Amino acid sequence: MIRARSETLRSEVVRKSVKPSPSIGGGSTSGQASHERPTRKVFDAVSEKRTFEAELHPALLTEEMVLEVDGFSLFYGAAQALWEISMGIPKGKVTALIGPSGCGKSTLLRSVNRMNDLIDTVRISGTMRLNGDAIYAPGVDVIELRKRIGMVFQKPNPFPMSIFENVIYSLRIDGERKKSVLEEVCEASLRGAGLWEEVKDRLHDSALRLSGGQQQRLCIARAIAAEPEVLLLDEPCSALDPIATGRIEDLIEELKGSYSILMVTHNMQQASRTSDYTAFMYLGRLVEYGPTEELFVQPRLSETEDYVTGRFG
Amino acid sequence: MSEVLEAPVPQSRRVRRRASQRATSLFSNGEPMVWLTGGALALCVVMIVGMLCLVAVQGSGTFWPRALERFERLGASAVLGEVVQRETYEPNAAAFAGRDEATALELRARAERAGNVAERWLVRTENFELTGTHYTWVSDFEVTARSQPEWALSIERREGGPFYGELVGFDVGGERVATEPGAAWALFEEHLPAVVERVEARRAIERDEIGRVNRALEEQRLAVRRAELEHGPDAAPTRAARELAAAREQALQSEFQRLRGEIEALVRQNERFGLMIESADGTETRIPLGQVVRAFPVNQLGLSGRIGVYGARTAEFLTDEPRESNTEGGVLPAIFGTVTMTLVMSLLVVPFGVLAALYLREYAKPGPLVSFVRIAVNNLAGVPSIVFGVFGLGFFCYFVGASIDQLFYSENLPSPTFGTGGVLWASLTLALLTLPVVIVPTEEALAAVPSSMREGSYACGATKWQTIRRIVLPRALPGILTGMILAIARGAGEVAPLMLVGAVKLAPELPIDGEAPFVHPSRSFMHLGFHIYDLGFQSPNSEAAKPMVYTTTLLLIGIVVLLNVVAIAVRAKLRRRFQGAQV
Ligand SMILES: Nc1ncnc2c1ncn2[C@@H]1O[C@H](COP(=O)(O)OP(=O)(O)O)[C@@H](O)[C@H]1O
Ligand SMILES: [Mg+2]
């Protein structure tokens, strides 16, 4: 209730403050001068309950995509949470999803590895492709699909077992028994997650005894142990203190290149510091998507500018 | 004007009145509730601790050898025994009855001199076959002398209960070889070990050898019966089997006679030795050494001696078989039966309960049906246990057991093998009884596993079962163990249903022993709870058995506590494993 009211308030404020735009709901035109910043009326789309065609920056066209989302909508029962999202996630890059709370960032992320299948009321339409393989085609083995995608959650969720067992969990469930393989993967993943030096002497202690930041890095190690094609991070730092947050950000920097990362963040600085591309979402719609610097410095839409400069959200 | 001025006054007064009401109302501030709740808790604790203390004090004192006191009484025979209770009372006419007139008058005078308030002692006199009673009341005014005779012996016998009396001699083959207590005691100590050895030998023959012969005889009978069932009563193979059995039976019978002879020889040897004991009323009794379990001059014993007797009696209690319709000897078969039954019950109920809870919590779609099942399971816990006993008897014993007998033990019929109460059926019945006790905490533990952990597992590509097995179950294990602890506590103390499905007064053969096939799930068994009931309420002299009732109760509580402590220790260890410093 409260959120809905404040949104109407905001949209009124914004509507008053921006000048009317010539292209209402039109396709993106790359020739448009970036400093003009036409209003694309996301707010109108929301109030009229229709989809909104996102403003996509041309730089994206040059990228090779690991994940392609096409016209993807999602409903929780009758409530629509995603409105025909279409976007590609570039290979080997970090893509940040930003947007106010409840705009569907987590929902989009959880749709990629079909975690939403666990909720009975969810319906979807549209397609997603992981390296060309349809994610939502009938007959897709969800278990196999999830093994190709790593995911790290908002709150660290180590399993109630040793650090070692946590890291090699995905190998264990695949039935890998060879000790040498397991140890090798464990060390590589922990090194990859920058945790090796801290825990190498207590690999067989309970993972629950680690600090929050260490637990989150352990979760990252667990996610990269399976060599995923995409790594999904859902606000990985929101439960951590600034120092731990800094370490995770450094880690993301290091993982860049070897992994394709799709990361949700609440924190504008974090997005600008760590990501190559940034997508701005608002109330289930993708609003603007482009290279991080362009999006933060010269956003094409005034809504984006308002959000990244902290005028709302 | 004045009205205008006064207008606000009533309002403020009302406010003040409400405030003062709040201050004086008992229930508006928290104090009384604190006292009420705290008081209720204190009452509960006091009752429970009181009960435990009573059982502990009474139960642990049973085996302590108390001094044997001799009371010389005016106008009545002397008594010798342990003082077990003392109290003051006002003597009435009944207290002076049974004496001649002069003595009665004298006693009355003495009592009146003491202000008609007397002290009396309850003396455990034993020697039941002589006096027909276990206890005698002795009042202070009738006592002319009170002493602790040096050679008062406390003798525990294999039959007939304890015997108290003064040692006066030692007898070998009808000839009194010692007439002086010291010498007699020396002879007793000299001969006792050999006698005990012979008693043990006799027991071994009875238990092992004769048992073997009996089983062989039974086997022959069964072989014939099997042949009859298979080939008909007059077919050639049946006749052959019958002849073979007859020949073997002959051999076994002569073996049996030989064993009987051996036993008789042992008994005769033991009969030669006897303790001559003079009881308080002056009669002399010969007590054969073969009857003596333990004898000691209790008034000569120091603290260490008494501790020794206490230890020996406790050890006997814990490791021996019962004697004298369960009122003496040990309770080993009952301990064994209780523990076996409880463990088998846990092994049955925990997997079943966990599987059921897993289905309810993890697989079943929440809905009215699941809620209904859950309520039904919860209500199962409130069904009177005797109902489970009846069900166990009707279903397990008379239906399942009888079917098993039909299929596999038909030659034994009509005497049932599985078709009657047994340790397996008792365990199954109690497993059923304790099922809700396992399901409810297990379900709660499953529900308490954070969904973030499950999601993490699914995100790693785990299947539902892998997630349950590797994440949910280990994490819920402490809760599952809580269920098991509750089930043990509930099951180990349950008696009523057991009386229907297999617990018996006396079952010398344990459910697990050295005889092939070593495990005998169809055997009936002894149970401490039933033992207590039997001892306290079914034995010929329940007053005399009272101390043993307390001791057995203490033991049962001890065993339940022990089983629980083990389970709690395991649970604590698991908890530590799953709990981090930070979460
Ligand atoms: N399990 C669910 N059932 C119903 N609605 C949900 C569920 N999860 C999220 N939502 C709704 O979907 C919208 C998007 O949520 P979410 O993706 O979590 O937002 P974000 O991560 O951007 O804060 C919100 O309006 C939220 O209320
Ligand atoms: Mg979120």
Side-chain angles (χ1 to χ4, degrees):
Chain A
M1 269 319 277
I2 289 169
R3 194 199 289 159
R5 202 188 313 135
S6 62
E7 268 152 17
T8 28
L9 273 178
R10 265 189 223 123
S11 58
E12 274 160 18
V13 172
V14 174
R15 238 179 254 156
K16 270 179 216 148
S17 66
V18 294
K19 41 192 187 312
S21 155
S23 59
I24 297 169
S28 86
T29 38
S30 49
Q32 222 163 28
S34 54
H35 56 266
E36 274 178 27
R37 283 175 214 146
T39 304
R40 298 279 306 280
K41 298 273 170 80
V42 184
F43 307 110
D44 293 343
V46 169
S47 58
E48 288 160 29
K49 288 194 189 296
R50 54 185 169 74
T51 57
F52 174 82
E53 195 137 344
E55 180 76 30
L56 301 176
H57 291 225
L60 282 163
L61 298 174
T62 63
E63 290 287 349
E64 189 194 347
M65 298 301 179
V66 64
L67 182 69
E68 283 157 299
V69 183
D70 197 10
F72 191 83
S73 302
L74 185 143
F75 304 81
Y76 288 112
Q80 187 165 5
L82 295 178
W83 299 72
E84 290 192 20
I85 307 273
S86 297
M87 66 192 290
I89 308 302
K91 194 168 253 168
K93 298 281 162 59
V94 178
T95 307
L97 278 177
I98 60 170
S101 223
C103 70
K105 308 181 294 291
S106 300
T107 302
L108 180 61
L109 210 62
R110 291 164 54 92
S111 303
V112 174
N113 62 352
R114 291 186 62 167
M115 290 300 280
N116 287 327
D117 289 13
L118 300 175
I119 303 167
D120 289 333
T121 55
V122 164
R123 283 183 299 117
I124 62 115
S125 67
T127 59
M128 280 199 193
R129 292 178 172 281
L130 178 64
N131 280 327
D133 303 329
I135 290 177
Y136 280 95
V140 168
D141 185 345
V142 180
I143 300 298
E144 286 308 314
L145 172 81
R146 287 187 189 140
K147 285 178 183 161
R148 296 168 61 186
I149 301 168
M151 183 159 190
V152 175
F153 294 82
Q154 197 163 346
K155 248 183 77 188
N157 58 348
F159 300 145
M161 46 180 86
S162 70
I163 295 171
F164 180 77
E165 289 295 326
N166 256 284
V167 176
I168 57 153
Y169 185 77
S170 52
L171 280 74
R172 272 262 187 264
I173 57 181
D174 269 350
E176 179 64 63
R177 286 259 172 73
K178 256 206 235 124
K179 209 159 177 244
S180 56
V181 175
L182 296 176
E183 279 169 357
E184 203 176 295
V185 169
C186 176
E187 178 172 347
S189 310
L190 283 172
R191 279 190 195 282
L195 194 59
W196 175 251
E197 292 302 323
E198 288 161 65
V199 301
K200 65 180 176 194
D201 298 325
R202 47 176 179 144
L203 287 177
H204 296 283
D205 282 8
S206 167
L208 302 176
R209 273 196 272 274
L210 296 173
S211 74
Q214 286 174 324
Q215 285 185 357
Q216 196 60 302
R217 277 180 283 148
L218 180 71
C219 292
I220 293 176
R222 186 172 72 197
I224 63 180
E227 303 273 333
E229 294 163 39
V230 198
L231 195 55
L232 309 173
L233 310 179
D234 190 352
E235 301 190 40
C237 304
S238 66
L240 304 181
D241 62 76
I243 292 173
T245 302
R247 299 205 56 163
I248 301 266
E249 282 174 14
D250 294 346
L251 176 59
I252 293 169
E253 202 76 44
E254 281 164 35
L255 293 175
K256 194 186 287 184
S258 10
Y259 294 94
S260 315
I261 297 177
L262 178 58
M263 175 174 86
V264 170
T265 176
H266 226 76
N267 181 323
M268 233 63 72
Q269 282 79 33
Q270 191 171 64
S272 63
R273 272 198 302 267
T274 55
S275 65
D276 303 304
Y277 290 93
T278 299
F280 168 51
M281 288 179 69
Y282 184 73
L283 285 182
R285 283 89 173 162
L286 179 62
V287 179
E288 188 169 349
Y289 180 25
T292 300
E293 221 179 76
E294 283 181 28
L295 200 95
F296 276 93
V297 181
Q298 302 170 306
R300 296 206 178 166
L301 301 187
S302 61
E303 290 93 330
T304 313
E305 189 186 22
D306 288 343
Y307 184 72
V308 299
T309 53
R311 237 171 285 169
F312 84 97
Chain B
M1 186 64 187
S2 64
E3 274 177 41
V4 176
L5 273 175
E6 272 174 20
V9 173
Q11 199 183 351
S12 72
R13 208 181 274 154
R14 212 180 305 135
V15 169
R16 215 176 305 128
R17 200 182 304 130
R18 215 181 292 139
S20 68
Q21 255 173 6
R22 201 177 304 135
T24 52
S25 163
L26 261 180
F27 289 93
S28 57
N29 58 13
E31 279 295 298
M33 289 320 283
V34 173
W35 283 100
L36 186 68
T37 50
L41 176 69
L43 196 66
C44 294
V45 170
V46 163
M47 285 197 291
I48 291 169
V49 170
M51 184 198 76
L52 288 179
C53 283
L54 176 75
V55 170
V57 169
Q58 295 271 13
S60 57
T62 306
F63 296 140
W64 185 253
R66 270 175 281 199
L68 287 177
E69 295 201 61
R70 184 183 169 91
F71 296 90
E72 307 287 351
R73 294 187 296 176
L74 195 68
S77 66
V79 290
L80 174 76
E82 296 176 348
V83 174
V84 293
Q85 196 182 322
R86 58 157 18 119
E87 64 181 35
T88 49
Y89 77 118
E90 288 180 18
N92 54 12
F96 312 109
R99 270 94 165 183
D100 61 64
E101 211 158 304
T103 324
L105 275 176
E106 166 66 14
L107 289 178
R108 194 184 297 268
R110 282 187 185 206
E112 265 157 23
R113 237 172 290 145
N116 210 24
V117 175
E119 189 172 15
R120 65 176 174 183
W121 302 278
L122 184 62
V123 183
R124 184 164 185 149
T125 49
E126 300 294 357
N127 306 5
F128 189 75
E129 76 262 40
L130 297 179
T131 58
T133 174
H134 290 275
Y135 293 96
T136 307
W137 281 105
V138 176
S139 306
D140 58 357
F141 53 79
E142 58 177 345
V143 174
T144 55
R146 184 177 174 179
S147 64
Q148 297 193 355
E150 190 188 1
W151 282 106
L153 281 196
S154 170
I155 304 170
E156 287 161 36
R157 296 182 294 176
R158 285 182 210 286
E159 285 158 24
F163 198 91
Y164 297 153
E166 283 174 64
L167 182 61
V168 290
F170 195 81
D171 174 290
V172 179
E175 193 182 330
R176 191 170 294 202
V177 295
T179 49
E180 190 268 322
W185 183 250
L187 280 171
F188 167 74
E189 290 202 309
E190 182 192 327
H191 287 293
L192 189 66
V195 169
V196 167
E197 216 165 90
R198 281 192 285 268
V199 169
E200 293 294 325
R202 176 193 163 174
R203 257 195 181 182
I205 292 174
E206 281 174 344
R207 195 180 52 225
D208 303 337
E209 308 271 312
I210 293 188
R212 185 173 51 77
V213 170
N214 278 337
R215 275 198 300 280
L217 279 171
E218 177 70 6
E219 224 158 80
Q220 297 311 318
R221 196 185 68 74
L222 290 182
V224 172
R225 182 94 183 97
R226 225 172 355 243
E228 275 175 10
L229 285 174
E230 202 168 315
H231 305 287
D234 285 323
T238 312
R239 247 175 289 140
R242 214 174 276 150
E243 269 159 38
L244 190 68
R248 292 223 177 114
E249 212 175 301
Q250 197 108 49
L252 287 168
Q253 285 295 355
S254 65
E255 169 90 1
F256 187 72
Q257 290 309 326
R258 189 181 61 75
L259 291 171
R260 284 244 62 93
E262 265 180 49
I263 288 175
E264 260 161 46
L266 287 170
V267 169
R268 234 174 297 126
Q269 267 174 303
N270 273 356
E271 282 294 328
R272 288 179 61 230
F273 305 101
L275 279 171
M276 301 309 293
I277 304 292
E278 189 184 295
S279 35
D281 57 1
T283 40
E284 203 172 272
T285 310
R286 180 182 190 275
I287 295 178
L289 247 58
Q291 286 288 323
V292 177
V293 177
R294 191 180 295 111
F296 47 93
V298 60
N299 294 342
Q300 292 180 34
L301 290 182
L303 183 66
S304 63
R306 288 182 193 215
I307 290 174
V309 170
Y310 186 79
R313 281 172 163 178
T314 309
E316 186 196 4
F317 180 67
L318 294 178
T319 60
D320 220 337
E321 284 168 15
R323 283 183 275 122
E324 289 290 292
S325 72
N326 291 356
T327 56
E328 284 176 37
V331 292
L332 183 68
I335 297 176
F336 195 86
T338 308
V339 172
T340 310
M341 195 233 24
T342 310
L343 290 186
V344 174
M345 177 205 77
S346 313
L347 287 183
L348 291 170
V349 72
V350 171
F352 267 105
V354 169
L355 288 178
L358 270 180
Y359 185 80
L360 277 179
R361 182 57 66 178
E362 300 287 328
Y363 288 103
K365 274 212 164 57
L369 186 64
V370 170
S371 306
F372 175 75
V373 170
R374 197 167 284 143
I375 291 170
V377 165
N378 281 327
N379 281 336
L380 211 58
V383 173
S385 57
I386 193 75
V387 174
F388 284 94
V390 173
F391 172 78
L393 182 70
F395 181 70
F396 293 131
C397 303
Y398 291 166
F399 178 67
V400 181
S403 309
I404 292 175
D405 280 357
Q406 287 285 342
L407 286 174
F408 302 107
Y409 299 92
S410 54
E411 69 271 14
N412 268 355
L413 289 172
S415 77
T417 308
F418 276 95
T420 181
V423 68
L424 178 65
W425 299 146
S427 303
L428 270 170
T429 306
L430 283 202
L432 208 60
L433 176 86
T434 49
L435 204 54
V437 179
V438 174
I439 291 181
V440 172
T442 302
E443 249 206 287
E444 269 164 27
L446 292 177
V449 175
S451 61
S452 68
M453 276 190 192
R454 294 168 206 257
E455 289 199 331
S457 173
Y458 289 131
C460 284
T463 60
K464 183 148 198 164
W465 173 242
Q466 283 170 331
T467 303
I468 289 175
R469 195 172 78 77
R470 292 177 182 273
I471 310 288
V472 177
L473 275 185
R475 173 71 204 222
L477 207 52
I480 294 170
L481 285 177
T482 300
M484 185 168 136
I485 290 166
L486 292 174
I488 287 175
R490 176 92 203 268
E494 197 61 69
V495 180
L498 294 181
M499 287 155 69
L500 300 180
V501 291
V504 290
K505 181 185 170 74
L506 191 63
E509 290 177 312
L510 301 179
I512 298 173
D513 63 13
E515 179 199 323
F518 309 116
V519 187
H520 311 278
S522 66
R523 276 191 188 164
S524 52
F525 62 104
M526 290 179 72
H527 186 273
L528 279 172
F530 184 65
H531 192 82
I532 291 168
Y533 168 72
D534 179 57
L535 212 54
F537 307 100
Q538 303 291 295
S539 71
N541 195 324
S542 53
E543 186 61 23
K546 205 168 88 179
M548 285 293 271
V549 170
Y550 277 115
T551 310
T552 314
T553 308
L554 183 64
L555 180 67
L556 178 57
I557 293 174
I559 285 177
V560 175
V561 167
L562 190 74
L563 287 171
N564 274 301
V565 163
V566 170
I568 289 171
V570 172
R571 183 178 61 178
K573 208 169 156 209
L574 287 171
R575 281 236 175 96
R576 267 201 302 284
R577 230 178 78 196
F578 296 133
Q579 245 159 27
Q582 285 131 315
V583 180

